[in-house]
Amino acid sequence: MKYYFITYQAKNRQGSISIWNQVIKDSPMKFIKDVSDIEKRGSDTYRNFVVINTCEISEDEFNEYEDKF
């Protein structure tokens, strides 16, 4: 299994950009599609999700940083 540190962004309804960091187990493209789909079905506050950067990390790093961002 591969693990990633990912930085991604989206625009809110007013046009402001928000940026997030997260560690994930999914591929970055699957993750961003899933986040976008969940947002559309939920509050629908953010649109235009984009992956800015990814870095493959170890399982130990994933376990250390999961839920810390």
Side-chain angles (χ1 to χ4, degrees):
M1 177 171 279
K2 291 187 177 184
Y3 303 90
Y4 299 93
F5 174 84
I6 182 173
T7 302
Y8 60 103
Q9 75 177 31
K11 287 185 181 180
N12 67 18
R13 291 180 184 174
Q14 292 77 33
S16 296
I17 294 174
S18 293
I19 299 174
W20 300 274
N21 294 307
Q22 198 162 345
V23 292
I24 61 172
K25 291 181 184 178
D26 290 331
S27 76
M29 296 313 295
K30 180 182 180 333
F31 171 81
I32 205 71
K33 177 159 181 6
D34 290 348
V35 168
S36 180
D37 291 346
I38 290 166
E39 178 65 19
K40 284 179 190 174
R41 290 191 310 268
S43 65
D44 200 27
T45 301
Y46 292 96
R47 296 180 168 92
N48 302 325
F49 284 86
V50 178
V51 174
I52 297 173
N53 194 21
T54 62
C55 176
E56 191 171 332
I57 60 175
S58 69
E59 182 177 2
D60 290 339
E61 289 171 316
F62 175 83
N63 292 331
E64 181 177 348
Y65 295 108
E66 185 177 24
D67 299 324
K68 295 206 176 162
F69 294 96

